[in-house]
Amino acid sequence: MPHQNSTPSATHPPVIDCLVIGAGPAGLISALYLARFRRKIRLVDAGSSRALRIPVSHNFPAFPDGIPGPELLARMREQVRRHGVEIEQARVQKLLRDEDGLFRADLDHEQIVARYVVLATGAQDIEPALPALRQAIREGYVRHCPICDGYEVIDQDVGVAGSGEHLVKEALFLRNFTDRLTAFSLNRDIALDQHQVQRLQQAGIRVIAEPVADLSVEDGQVRAVRGADGREYRFDTLYVAMGAAVRCELAAHLGAELDNGGCLVVDCKRFQTSIPGLFAAGDVVSGLSQISVAAGQAAVVATAIHHALTRADA
């Protein structure tokens, strides 16, 4: 039988089975599975999923013509609602864990008490200061994930903006799709040593050592202007290799272990963090940032929580 809530009062809110924080693909699929397991859950979302900014995804299964990120999320939300779960638009301000193992999440005007928590807060891309950036992303001039859509830039003239080893890896990955690549930095040192520059040049990738000071979209291309001499470069597509900021503050406040990249460290079997009862799925976990990966992690997390609840209630 599903876990029954304790009787609520003015000072003691009801205890639910699980709180899911974040309604991107990982959070929605976690909520769907838990709802189908007949668990008492709540799903809270701040409305900033990375998937909302995907113009069209061509590598998510079952959509041969591709599907825009907002439409995919809308379908997932409707599926969750049909199982009785409402998405609450709110931001969790603080997450605490009691001595008895219960989690207390402070929202703006209430507190949620849960036996388990799924953190699916994702990450936020670090982006260039480009006028009308969102429109440029929608129209395919600016892209973030070569794994998702490197296929879409085959034989195009592509600029890769970033610095350091991350820039090198992104540019070399894209070399599989086009031999017309230029690596550069934006308003900062490119932070490449001689060996890294040689690796890029040996792959046929042009390197602009001096930072680019200005970006714009003009006449169907991305225009990049170098700082000192004002030299201009034009690309069909710009890839942003500037990394992402992982949204793990709630878990970090609890003392959860993070890796060197700022992602939550989880066990490989259940995706539980170093905090008992706190699970994570999606881009907040280190690994391949793909919707299909987040979906698999979410299914594992929800099933692990269901089994744990079943054992505890037995």
Side-chain angles (χ1 to χ4, degrees), residues 24-44:
L28 288 166
I29 293 170
S30 296
L32 175 65
Y33 271 66
L34 287 165
R36 290 176 60 83
F37 289 140
R38 302 182 67 196
R39 293 299 176 181
K40 180 64 176 177
I41 68 170
R42 288 180 67 177
L43 174 57
V44 176

Side-chain angles (χ1 to χ4, degrees), residues 2-238:
H3 172 69
Q4 300 298 315
N5 295 337
S6 61
T7 304
S9 69
T11 56
H12 300 285
V15 178
I16 62 172
D17 291 325
C18 186
L19 168 63
V20 180
I21 305 175
L28 288 166
I29 293 170
S30 296
L32 175 65
Y33 271 66
L34 287 165
R36 290 176 60 83
F37 289 140
R38 302 182 67 196
R39 293 299 176 181
K40 180 64 176 177
I41 68 170
R42 288 180 67 177
L43 174 57
V44 176
D45 181 58
S48 55
S49 171
R50 283 169 110 183
L52 287 169
R53 308 185 72 184
I54 298 174
V56 182
S57 174
H58 292 280
N59 66 348
F60 191 71
F63 295 98
D65 296 321
I67 183 169
E71 181 181 343
L72 179 62
L73 284 181
R75 290 178 180 227
M76 289 181 173
R77 288 168 179 159
E78 177 59 26
Q79 191 170 6
V80 167
R81 289 191 185 101
R82 291 189 185 189
H83 287 81
V85 179
E86 292 298 325
I87 302 170
E88 303 175 44
Q89 295 298 320
R91 185 179 297 276
V92 177
Q93 306 294 342
K94 183 184 296 184
L95 183 65
L96 301 173
R97 186 171 183 265
D98 292 345
E99 292 182 358
D100 57 5
L102 292 176
F103 291 91
R104 297 183 181 273
D106 290 336
L107 279 62
D108 292 333
H109 302 295
E110 75 168 308
Q111 185 178 81
I112 297 175
V113 182
R115 299 167 75 186
Y116 291 90
V117 170
V118 176
L119 200 65
T121 44
Q124 182 176 2
D125 293 300
I126 300 171
E127 296 177 321
L130 177 66
L133 177 63
R134 293 199 174 190
Q135 181 178 349
I137 293 172
R138 285 195 299 268
E139 295 176 353
Y141 294 114
V142 176
R143 301 177 184 270
H144 295 88
C145 180
I147 294 173
C148 299
D149 47 30
Y151 187 89
E152 270 65 60
V153 300
I154 289 176
D155 295 333
Q156 287 188 10
D157 199 335
V158 176
V160 189
S163 62
E165 185 63 19
H166 188 63
L167 169 62
V168 174
K169 290 180 178 179
E170 293 273 306
L172 290 175
F173 185 91
L174 283 163
R175 184 61 182 81
N176 184 56
F177 303 98
T178 180
D179 60 1
R180 298 158 60 194
L181 285 163
T182 301
F184 62 91
S185 65
L186 290 169
N187 297 307
R188 58 171 295 180
D189 188 273
I190 198 168
L192 298 179
D193 59 30
Q194 185 177 359
H195 176 63
Q196 291 170 319
V197 172
Q198 288 176 347
R199 287 166 61 195
L200 292 172
Q201 292 177 339
Q202 287 171 359
I205 299 170
R206 178 172 57 177
V207 178
I208 303 175
E210 184 179 349
V212 164
D214 182 61
L215 284 175
S216 60
V217 176
E218 298 178 8
D219 302 323
Q221 287 187 309
V222 177
R223 174 177 171 269
V225 179
R226 201 166 69 182
D229 58 8
R231 183 174 176 181
E232 180 180 297
Y233 303 86
R234 287 183 175 267
F235 311 106
D236 298 316
T237 303
L238 172 69

